[in-house]
Amino acid sequence: MHRGDVDERVSNQAGRADQGTGHRRTGAADAPERGSYPSHTPFEQPWWLEAVAPGRWGHVLVERGGEVVARLPYVRKQKFGLTVLTQAPLTRFVGPWLRPSEGKYEKRLGVERELMGELIDRLPPHDVYRGNFAPAITNWLPFHWAGFDATVRYTYRIDDLRDPDRLWAELGGNVRSRVKRAAKGVEIRTDLESEAVLEEVLRINRRLFERQGLGVSFGDDLARRLDAACRARGAREVVTATDSQGRLQAALYLVRDATTTYLLYGGTDPEFRSTGVNSLVVWEAIRLASQTSQHFDFLGSMIEPVERVNRSFGARQVPYFFVTRARPRARAVFAARRGVRVARREVRRGAERLQRRLHGTQPPPADGAAKGGGAAKGSA
């Protein structure tokens, strides 16, 4: 890599390697810088990273003439004895950010290649890298040349919030009817600055995951730290729907930067999922965002039913890259772990089959099932 310019400086700053390990990476700073940096999203800012991964995040900086021209944040984890550079919960994108360059297209691509190459070279030693690049990054080719892989994922965005009437007209017909129906039975609140409202959103979110038999992907303490950081910067909004009996039926937690409002988490209490109140709070969140933002980002999803809902609000599909790299040692470890999981699953299935035989509930063999398929289908 060219190092001829005397004004060029490349620095790597990081927090503690893994909280509780007592080890630090050689040359790491005692704490990450807490200043503000240019970024595509709020998820890349030091204050956000310190809230979601205190003491465990870092970033690679490229500076020229005392000005930051490229930056790539990460969170460091230890998993199966491997060092993993990844992203924290509630942190959808991790950059990289590159200062926009001017000139011919060919020249701009050359600048991107140089800056990305320097970012890659300066990443701390790691076995695995995993990160969602912001949708603004459409060129990941320098990472490909460095041995990284990428998968295309999608978020859904509404790009122009200036005309609420147009936004309403672009809603799916079923969404409009659900919004109208739900609005008759609840009160919508958006002026919710207190800490207490966060606990209600978290309760709704937990119930949503419990109904699906899943664990919440982030802890309450993390959410509280992030909420405090967002409120201190005027970067969050909460939308709630409460009925006449004082029951909170739905709540959404939103964060925003100078241009975009992001739907971070929340949802509808499963008891009220058929009332249409979920459509109502999402519509009210979009209306609220139109007062401060140019764009509304649903932050996903790749899950088919969720994608269908996001699309029904008039949002467009926006691709982004999920970029990964695993060293040979890490691939071997993960392959071994997959083998263990497969073996455990087969043992569990074998035990279940044995239990069915012992209790006389063993299903008929495959050929018998095939022969009896027509009768079974007819009886259904």
Side-chain angles (χ1 to χ4, degrees):
M1 190 69 65
H2 178 63
R3 297 281 189 262
D5 297 336
V6 295
D7 288 337
E8 179 180 342
R9 291 191 298 120
V10 183
S11 64
N12 179 52
Q13 301 182 357
R16 297 176 183 174
D18 242 21
Q19 211 167 25
T21 64
H23 298 292
R24 294 171 185 256
R25 185 177 58 80
T26 302
D30 284 345
E33 274 190 25
R34 300 178 186 276
S36 178
Y37 290 89
S39 66
H40 298 295
T41 69
F43 313 118
E44 304 154 50
Q45 285 294 336
W47 63 265
W48 183 287
L49 293 164
E50 184 62 19
V52 296
R56 294 189 296 109
W57 69 274
H59 56 195
V60 183
L61 299 178
V62 178
E63 297 181 67
R64 290 195 173 91
E67 180 182 356
V68 174
V69 296
R71 178 174 178 265
L72 178 60
Y74 56 83
V75 171
R76 188 187 290 102
K77 295 181 180 179
Q78 294 293 321
K79 188 172 185 180
F80 310 137
L82 303 172
T83 299
V84 181
L85 303 184
T86 183
Q87 54 200 75
L90 296 181
T91 304
R92 180 54 61 93
F93 305 117
V94 292
W97 178 84
L98 308 176
R99 184 179 66 181
S101 58
E102 299 179 351
K104 295 181 179 179
Y105 181 68
E106 173 271 334
K107 180 181 178 181
R108 297 199 304 271
L109 284 183
V111 171
E112 288 182 7
R113 175 178 181 173
E114 180 180 355
L115 293 179
M116 286 185 177
E118 294 188 41
L119 291 175
I120 294 166
D121 288 346
R122 295 292 174 158
L123 283 171
H126 61 279
D127 300 294
V128 179
Y129 177 90
R130 298 165 60 87
N132 288 326
F133 284 8
I137 299 298
T138 59
N139 174 22
W140 75 281
L141 195 52
F143 283 81
H144 169 72
W145 291 326
F148 291 75
D149 294 313
T151 301
V152 176
R153 293 180 173 180
Y154 295 95
T155 184
Y156 280 77
R157 283 186 173 181
I158 300 173
D159 273 334
D160 186 352
L161 301 177
R162 289 175 297 181
D163 186 352
D165 291 336
R166 179 184 58 79
L167 297 176
W168 175 257
E170 291 182 356
L171 297 181
N174 185 51
V175 174
R176 289 197 297 269
S177 62
R178 286 169 64 85
V179 168
K180 291 176 181 177
R181 182 174 74 248
K184 298 175 182 178
V186 298
E187 177 189 7
I188 295 294
R189 291 281 307 278
T190 59
D191 54 335
L192 303 165
E193 291 297 328
S194 70
E195 297 178 41
V197 71
L198 174 67
E199 303 303 320
E200 291 298 300
V201 183
L202 293 176
R203 181 183 63 81
I204 289 281
N205 198 61
R206 278 194 299 271
R207 291 203 62 184
L208 203 60
F209 276 83
E210 288 168 359
R211 176 176 172 269
Q212 302 173 62
L214 302 173
V216 181
S217 60
F218 58 92
D220 288 358
D221 287 343
L222 183 153
R224 292 178 187 119
R225 288 194 307 270
L226 181 59
D227 183 62
C230 289
R231 284 190 296 108
R233 293 163 177 80
R236 70 88 139 151
E237 299 280 1
V238 176
V239 178
T240 65
T242 306
D243 62 24
S244 58
Q245 300 178 49
R247 297 175 298 183
L248 183 65
Q249 294 192 5
L252 298 178
Y253 191 97
L254 315 169
V255 295
R256 65 169 185 258
D257 57 19
T259 64
T260 306
T261 293
Y262 302 87
L263 200 169
L264 196 60
Y265 63 89
T268 301
D269 189 314
E271 182 180 349
F272 305 103
R273 64 182 184 273
S274 63
T275 66
V277 70
N278 187 64
S279 296
L280 175 62
V281 291
V282 173
W283 167 245
E284 292 296 339
I286 293 169
R287 288 214 307 168
L288 180 65
S290 70
Q291 302 173 19
T292 58
S293 300
Q294 301 170 29
H295 318 286
F296 186 90
D297 195 322
F298 285 84
L299 292 181
S301 169
M302 298 293 286
I303 301 171
E304 186 174 359
V306 180
E307 184 274 345
R308 186 167 57 248
V309 170
N310 293 346
R311 178 163 38 89
S312 70
F313 282 90
R316 70 181 183 91
Q317 195 178 70
V318 178
Y320 63 90
F321 295 116
F322 174 55
V323 179
T324 64
R325 181 170 69 177
R327 308 290 189 187
R329 172 173 171 260
R331 288 197 293 268
V333 170
F334 289 142
R337 295 288 299 185
R338 282 195 297 272
V340 170
R341 286 198 300 270
V342 170
R344 287 175 176 170
R345 186 163 59 245
E346 290 304 315
V347 169
R348 185 169 62 250
R349 288 175 177 171
E352 291 170 354
R353 287 194 294 269
L354 179 59
Q355 286 291 332
R356 286 196 295 267
R357 289 194 187 101
L358 292 174
H359 291 85
T361 58
Q362 178 69 11
D367 58 343
K371 291 177 182 177
K377 184 175 181 181
S379 64

